[in-house]
Amino acid sequence: MNVIQMYAEALSKQLQAVLSFEEVIKLIEKPKFQEQGDLAFPCFALAKHLRKSPAVIAQEMAPLIQDSLFEKVVAEGPYVNCFLNKQEISKYILQTILAKESNYGSHSFGQGATITIDFSSPNIAKPFSMGHLRSTVIGNSLAKIVEKCGYQPLRINHLGDWGTQFGKLIVAYKLWGNDEAVRKNPITELLQLYVRFHDEAQTNPQLEAEARMWFKLLEEGNEEALNLWRWFREESLKEFSRIYSLLDVEFDSFNGEAFYNDKMETTVELLNKKNLLTPSQGAKVVDLSEQNLPPCLIKKSDGATLYATRDVTAAIYRQDNYHFAKAIYVVGHEQSLHFKQIFLVLEKMGYQWANDMVHVPFGFILKDGKKMSTRKGKIVLLENVMKEAIELAKQNIEQKNPSLDNKDEISKMVGLGAIIFHDLKNERLNNIEFSLEEMLKFEGTTGPYVQYTHARGCSILRKAKVSGEITNGLSDSQSWSVVKLLMDFPATIQRSMQQYEPSVIAKYVIELSQEFNKYYSHVKVLHVDEEMNDRIALVRSVTIVLKEGLRLLGVKAPEEM
Ligand code: ARG
């Protein structure tokens, strides 16, 4: 329970007939000035019910609200103001954190219901793009956040492994491909074949027709087409797996677009039965003009299926098999229209659960203000970027702490942590500027700064002779700023879940780090006196919460760096 809830509980005991606990919580405010206390309850809403002025109500109520956690409760005009008992509350919070450890901040409101999270989902035979990195990092964090709230996350990598582009790739490979080259450098080689196809198709339109034919053969299960496709897929997955294992990201399912190949006919039949398909220049579409949206294309004139056909089918499959309470799609905002269409089509099909589908969009990664593009052969290979970050982190550590053990392991945590944190610290819809130098700084709002603060806490604990397990609470104002933040952790997690916004947690761990560093520079933690144990308990609590906060973002917290 946080202090707002505690105050609300004390208040609502007196207000049973008038306001519910939830209503009281919503009314509680933070007073404008510190001298007015820590929490304020305005009595305006009560005036009508009780037929008294708010000021009179406040006067009458204040003396009735009593608890050892409150130092005093006083009326000030129309408000009932509460001054918290710092000593008692810090004791309660620190004890709770030390007892629960990494479970502190967990919720149970998810009640074990399944949330599918469709994230990362790169396209095979193409480089893993910066956009896919964002989806990977945000989706991975959301999975941990929903789990922390008591849901069961189901991580799905909806690989882009089907579509007309594979017709093109097969044609290109048959014309110009080289077995060995592909095996050596699958993604680069396949991308080059793809680019060459587009160049040559400009002067040779026959190629496009051939590509359409090969995709058709693929959809019909032609052996040669399937074998090539399988091989492209496997080689691509090998490359992607290296990225996932570096980032420590796992999936429960790699059922990508191809998985729905044999399930789409049922969808088309269903749409047909429900009279939702309209012919349009030989193609079949679901008309969405009533909703002011362009039609959703379900089948091309040559009978080929589309991205949307697969997404509608996948949604039905997932509801049938996983019975999700929510289905989250972590995909760039440029696909907003696509998801609006998909969700509407499902709604038109009569599926109630269409309302439980959520597109969680995000902005671009920019380099010098421009979108990072993989087209025109200008590829930024993500793996190289990650290696560079690790290398830079190592140089930093080499300078700051040359005697550190297992530098390699820690450089990895810091380099990758920097990339992930940089992605998650701003609201996801913002574009982010990619600068390794910026994100690897040990000061400022970076991952390494939070990691460093955590490591500093750990180092104090190593030096402490006592465990700091027993605490009587602290009452000074320096520690109070830290305790108040620690107290906010559970509610912070809940907010980040409700908004599907890991940045809420990223901002929180930055604030906690800043407050803790202030504390640390003002107070001698290990000075021997009767409060030393409590201060150590505070340090331990901060390290627990920082580590758990970072974990929820997918960032590791080394104990030394
Ligand atoms: N492969 C797609 C792309 O790279 C993203 C897929 C997202 N998930 C989905 N169910 N449509 O654009």
Side-chain angles (χ1 to χ4, degrees):
M1 201 159 20
N2 65 33
V3 284
I4 297 183
Q5 289 166 324
M6 291 172 189
Y7 190 40
E9 194 174 71
L11 287 162
S12 57
K13 265 193 212 139
Q14 304 301 327
L15 294 168
Q16 262 160 11
V18 201
L19 290 176
S20 71
F21 175 69
E22 280 75 26
E23 287 169 316
V24 173
I25 283 201
K26 280 193 202 127
L27 287 173
I28 292 175
E29 314 172 353
K30 295 236 158 100
K32 283 199 192 70
F33 304 102
Q34 223 175 342
E35 307 80 65
Q36 297 174 326
D38 300 298
L39 298 169
F41 176 71
C43 297
F44 306 105
L46 294 169
K48 229 199 264 156
H49 291 285
L50 302 175
R51 295 163 192 260
K52 289 179 198 165
S53 80
V56 170
I57 299 173
Q59 285 290 343
E60 292 177 357
M61 255 179 73
L64 302 175
I65 314 296
Q66 277 179 29
D67 194 294
S68 63
L69 294 173
F70 310 145
E71 194 177 286
K72 58 179 182 186
V73 177
V74 293
E76 180 161 337
Y79 291 92
V80 181
N81 289 348
C82 176
F83 293 75
L84 297 166
N85 182 330
K86 298 186 178 70
Q87 177 108 24
E88 283 305 311
I89 292 197
S90 62
K91 179 174 157 188
Y92 169 77
I93 296 295
L94 297 181
Q95 281 177 351
T96 308
I97 299 173
L98 295 179
K100 293 195 172 176
E101 298 210 357
S102 63
N103 276 323
Y104 178 61
S106 298
H107 297 281
S108 55
F109 61 81
Q111 300 186 339
T114 297
I115 296 189
T116 56
I117 305 174
D118 180 319
F119 72 110
S120 194
S121 311
N123 301 319
I124 67 165
K126 289 218 180 127
F128 198 100
S129 75
M130 285 294 164
H132 294 117
L133 173 68
R134 289 215 74 185
S135 172
T136 308
V137 164
I138 297 171
N140 182 50
S141 172
L142 287 178
K144 293 180 198 288
I145 292 169
V146 307
E147 195 168 35
K148 183 90 179 163
C149 291
Y151 292 95
Q152 173 81 45
L154 202 124
R155 302 157 165 90
I156 304 174
N157 195 327
H158 188 76
L159 287 173
D161 57 3
W162 208 248
T164 42
Q165 70 270 30
F166 296 101
K168 295 176 188 174
L169 204 54
I170 291 173
V171 171
Y173 180 78
K174 283 169 72 74
L175 284 172
W176 317 296
N178 172 320
D179 208 273
E180 213 173 304
V182 174
R183 229 177 278 280
K184 240 200 202 146
N185 259 324
I187 304 271
T188 332
E189 200 60 29
L190 292 173
L191 180 73
Q192 265 164 26
L193 284 172
Y194 192 67
V195 171
R196 178 153 178 201
F197 178 93
H198 277 273
D199 287 346
E200 306 231 354
Q202 282 183 344
T203 49
N204 181 4
Q206 179 56 27
L207 285 175
E208 294 279 2
E210 252 173 72
R212 273 195 298 277
M213 182 197 79
W214 274 102
F215 180 56
K216 202 152 199 292
L217 287 172
L218 188 62
E219 285 209 301
E220 285 163 0
N222 171 284
E223 261 320 296
E224 186 186 358
L226 268 178
N227 280 336
L228 279 172
W229 168 81
R230 263 191 219 113
W231 181 48
F232 298 155
R233 186 178 191 275
E234 240 167 67
E235 293 294 339
S236 307
L237 267 182
K238 271 189 216 155
E239 292 226 2
F240 297 158
S241 306
R242 284 210 300 276
I243 293 174
Y244 294 137
S245 88
L246 263 177
L247 290 171
D248 196 16
V249 170
E250 282 174 6
F251 296 92
D252 301 296
S253 161
F254 278 92
N255 287 342
E257 296 187 43
F259 177 76
Y260 300 98
N261 189 31
D262 61 354
K263 300 170 182 62
M264 283 185 282
E265 211 32 60
T266 318
T267 309
V268 177
E269 274 164 27
L270 254 165
L271 284 164
N272 221 350
K273 248 199 253 151
K274 296 182 192 254
N275 275 325
L276 290 169
L277 285 185
T278 322
S280 165
Q281 300 163 346
K284 286 178 182 155
V285 308
V286 177
D287 180 68
L288 302 173
S289 55
E290 257 176 51
Q291 283 79 16
N292 274 323
L293 291 181
C296 181
L297 209 60
I298 297 293
K299 249 188 171 195
K300 286 194 189 173
S301 52
D302 64 1
T305 59
L306 293 111
Y307 184 48
T309 329
R310 293 186 274 285
D311 256 330
V312 172
T313 310
I316 300 172
Y317 176 88
R318 290 172 191 175
Q319 179 53 236
D320 285 350
N321 287 275
Y322 311 135
H323 315 289
F324 58 75
K326 269 197 188 343
I328 300 179
Y329 295 81
V330 188
V331 187
H333 64 53
E334 65 278 15
Q335 291 195 29
S336 290
L337 173 62
H338 166 76
F339 286 104
K340 268 192 205 141
Q341 291 177 308
I342 299 301
F343 299 168
L344 259 173
V345 169
L346 290 163
E347 200 181 305
K348 278 182 183 277
M349 292 175 87
Y351 295 121
Q352 281 279 318
W353 48 262
N355 294 314
D356 304 322
M357 325 235 342
V358 197
H359 176 210
V360 175
F362 52 82
F364 296 124
I365 293 192
L366 307 175
K367 181 104 194 159
D368 307 321
K370 281 194 227 84
K371 205 182 147 191
M372 275 172 110
S373 120
T374 53
R375 246 175 292 155
K376 296 172 198 133
K378 244 199 352 194
I379 12 173
V380 195
L381 280 183
L382 181 61
E383 221 184 322
N384 295 342
V385 174
M386 298 201 304
K387 285 192 179 137
E388 200 183 328
I390 297 172
E391 192 43 50
L392 283 173
K394 198 166 168 186
Q395 288 171 16
N396 266 349
I397 290 172
E398 216 56 88
Q399 255 180 23
K400 289 209 157 70
N401 192 357
S403 62
L404 184 69
D405 285 339
N406 52 14
K407 277 190 206 117
D408 285 338
E409 196 46 34
I410 291 171
S411 310
K412 209 173 125 185
M413 294 183 187
V414 174
L416 297 172
I419 295 184
I420 298 171
F421 196 89
H422 183 72
D423 193 312
L424 295 180
K425 75 174 183 185
N426 295 306
E427 278 156 49
R428 56 180 155 69
L429 271 170
N430 292 348
N431 294 335
I432 51 181
E433 179 68 35
F434 194 88
S435 152
L436 280 179
E437 249 161 70
E438 215 33 63
M439 56 180 88
L440 275 156
K441 287 195 174 135
F442 276 39
E443 304 89 30
T445 55
T446 65
Y449 170 70
V450 179
Q451 288 173 318
Y452 185 66
T453 307
H454 169 266
R456 174 183 253 183
C458 291
S459 120
I460 301 173
L461 294 174
R462 277 194 300 273
K463 281 187 209 131
K465 299 274 172 345
V466 285
S467 67
E469 299 277 298
I470 310 146
T471 164
N472 296 311
L474 291 157
S475 55
D476 63 295
S477 63
Q478 319 279 18
S479 61
W480 184 238
S481 319
V482 180
V483 170
K484 270 202 291 192
L485 275 172
L486 289 174
M487 196 154 61
D488 268 346
F489 188 51
T492 304
I493 289 168
Q494 185 166 0
R495 245 185 310 132
S496 77
M497 157 86 219
Q498 281 158 347
Q499 302 169 14
Y500 304 114
E501 191 55 272
S503 69
V504 170
I505 293 175
K507 290 192 171 109
Y508 170 87
V509 290
I510 288 189
E511 219 187 317
L512 180 57
S513 299
Q514 289 168 341
E515 254 346 297
F516 176 71
N517 284 323
K518 248 190 250 163
Y519 175 77
Y520 178 79
S521 65
H522 282 117
V523 175
K524 288 210 177 78
V525 176
L526 296 181
H527 177 70
V528 182
D529 60 17
E530 66 281 6
E531 283 192 335
M532 183 178 74
N533 219 23
D534 300 280
R535 289 193 299 269
I536 293 171
L538 180 79
V539 175
R540 192 179 290 283
S541 299
V542 169
T543 58
I544 290 173
V545 171
L546 285 181
K547 184 175 180 186
E548 179 61 4
L550 287 174
R551 185 193 70 83
L552 291 170
L553 300 172
V555 176
K556 304 266 192 277
E559 292 187 358
E560 281 182 89
M561 63 187 264

